Amino acid sequence: MFRPISRTWLIVDIVGALLGFAVTTPLTLFFSATQLSAWSGTSPLAVTASVVASAVVWGAAAIARLSPTLALSVAWFGAVIQMGMGLPPAAYDLGIMVVLFATAAWGSRRLLWIGGISALGGGVLGGLYFGVVWSGELLTDAASALRAALIAALLASVFVLAMVMSWGAGLLWRVILNGRETQVARAQAEMLAAEEQERVRIARDMHDIVAHSLAVVIAQADGARYAAAAQPEIASEALGTIAQTARGALSDVRMLLTQLRHRQGDGPQPTLADLETLFAQVRQAGVEPRITVDPMPPGEPPGAIQLAVYRILQEALTNAIRHGDGTVSVHLAWLPDRVDLQVRNVIGHEAAPTAGGHGVIGMRERAQLVGGSLHAERHGEQFVVAASLPIGGSVAG
């Protein structure tokens, strides 16, 4: 029955209700000084009833935000006192408008419609009552009855219009509040989705960096172990490559961890200019890739395309180091609307990665992230990774 509201709003409502009572009660007594009640005129009983009715109505307004249901019940009780004592329409009836607004703005769905029915029914009932009691007609003949009916209809129309407008204003405010809540929920959902995408991206980058670096390190370590006795200089060179690769991987991992702590800075991402360094690492691991670029890029490709090409090549070459026999061919075709990428390697003694492996899944996600596609499958003795990434008109000439 009671809604959770802040203490500030509760104080504002109570102070507002007290001000409403302090202003409208004297106005009602002043303008009804000649005849306050249809039954007892300006007797002390009528004055007391008017003050009590005003206090009840504004009391309902004071708790309208806190408990619209209770406020509506209290407001009806005040209206019954007002009509039961024969009191005329008064300035303090503005408190009823506040209550009707609250039922539509903050009440439950059921109370929303109860408030609407109260606005219609209360307006009609009040108009009929005051039209008959305060029409001044004795209802002795048909003409007086007709005049009383017309006055009652006019008052009922005015009351219904005022009450329905108050209820309608509350309904409009309810729609606004629901819209705000929807926007907040949408913003939260978008933020969660963005965070999830960021986590997936960082996990993918971490996989690409660590898997490639470890593959190079393992290949170099195996070579250094075999060459340690016969050719120490080759072993020393391999150890230097291992150290260089490990430092590069450590730097990349630190950058990713920095992104986790400070999301506003994505840090530098690999570009086409870094491909030569990648190919050099592959050569140091004992694999000599045959690289063909035809045609060349017509301009500076978008950063997202450059990153996707780099990461796909990095993962494909890593798989070639781990599962191939050292024979690898790379072909890049920079067409006006797309870039086609293909990596072929002869399968070694170990089985090639399957289409469901994490590395293949990561490459496919890279391609899909920029609107492209990627296929990785075995063709005879070769494992082929083929990707097509759209560029469109985003290439700067």
Side-chain angles (χ1 to χ4, degrees), residues 250-260 266-269:
L250 180 60
S251 176
D252 290 339
V253 169
R254 283 175 174 171
M255 184 186 70
L256 289 176
L257 294 178
T258 300
Q259 292 178 38
L260 284 174
D266 287 340
Q269 295 290 348

Side-chain angles (χ1 to χ4, degrees), residues 20 22 27 91 100 109 141-142 152 176 185 196 221 250 253 323 348 366 370 374 377:
L27 287 177
L100 290 173
R109 185 177 296 274
D141 53 25
I176 293 174
E196 181 62 25
L250 180 60
V253 169
H323 304 289
R366 286 284 182 187
V370 294
L374 183 142
E377 54 189 352

Side-chain angles (χ1 to χ4, degrees), residues 72 76 100 103-104 109-126 159-160 163-164 167-168:
L72 183 62
W76 266 109
L100 290 173
T103 60
R109 185 177 296 274
R110 176 180 296 180
L111 185 62
L112 167 68
W113 296 113
I114 292 176
I117 294 172
S118 296
L120 290 173
V124 172
L125 178 62
F159 291 167
V160 167
M163 292 184 177
V164 169
W167 179 83

Side-chain angles (χ1 to χ4, degrees), residues 48-68:
T48 302
S50 181
V51 173
V52 170
S54 178
V56 171
V57 169
W58 283 111
I63 62 172
R65 193 194 307 265
L66 178 64
S67 179

Side-chain angles (χ1 to χ4, degrees), residues 43-287:
S43 65
L45 179 61
V47 173
T48 302
S50 181
V51 173
V52 170
S54 178
V56 171
V57 169
W58 283 111
I63 62 172
R65 193 194 307 265
L66 178 64
S67 179
T69 303
L70 182 59
L72 183 62
S73 302
V74 174
W76 266 109
F77 178 66
V80 169
I81 294 176
Q82 186 178 3
M83 290 185 293
M85 295 301 298
L87 302 175
Y92 55 74
D93 287 327
L94 291 173
I96 296 177
M97 311 301 178
V98 175
V99 173
L100 290 173
F101 177 93
T103 60
W106 301 300
S108 63
R109 185 177 296 274
R110 176 180 296 180
L111 185 62
L112 167 68
W113 296 113
I114 292 176
I117 294 172
S118 296
L120 290 173
V124 172
L125 178 62
L128 293 176
Y129 175 80
F130 291 119
V132 173
V133 173
W134 290 90
S135 63
E137 301 292 342
L138 299 177
L139 304 181
T140 56
D141 53 25
S144 62
L146 179 60
R147 284 192 293 271
L150 290 176
I151 293 173
L154 178 61
L155 288 174
S157 299
V158 173
F159 291 167
V160 167
L161 179 61
M163 292 184 177
V164 169
M165 286 182 64
S166 301
W167 179 83
L171 180 60
L172 179 60
W173 185 245
R174 184 191 192 97
V175 172
I176 293 174
L177 292 178
N178 289 339
R180 289 178 179 176
E181 292 177 355
T182 302
Q183 290 178 352
V184 171
R186 183 184 298 113
Q188 291 177 344
E190 291 175 352
M191 182 179 66
L192 291 175
E195 290 177 350
E196 181 62 25
Q197 291 177 357
E198 184 73 2
R199 284 193 293 269
V200 172
R201 184 188 70 81
I202 292 175
R204 188 165 50 236
D205 285 348
M206 187 75 75
H207 172 272
D208 292 344
I209 293 169
V210 173
H212 173 76
S213 300
L214 287 180
V216 173
V217 168
I218 291 171
Q220 289 291 312
D222 288 341
R225 185 180 59 190
Y226 294 135
Q231 296 177 299
E233 65 281 0
I234 296 179
S236 177
E237 181 181 349
L239 291 176
T241 301
I242 290 173
Q244 180 182 356
T245 302
R247 288 192 188 97
L250 180 60
S251 176
D252 290 339
V253 169
R254 283 175 174 171
M255 184 186 70
L256 289 176
L257 294 178
T258 300
Q259 292 178 38
L260 284 174
R261 292 193 298 267
H262 307 286
R263 292 185 55 201
Q264 66 273 17
D266 287 340
Q269 295 290 348
T271 64
L272 297 182
D274 298 305
L275 285 179
E276 189 55 42
T277 302
L278 175 65
F279 295 147
Q281 291 177 344
V282 174
R283 294 187 186 99
Q284 290 171 351
V287 175

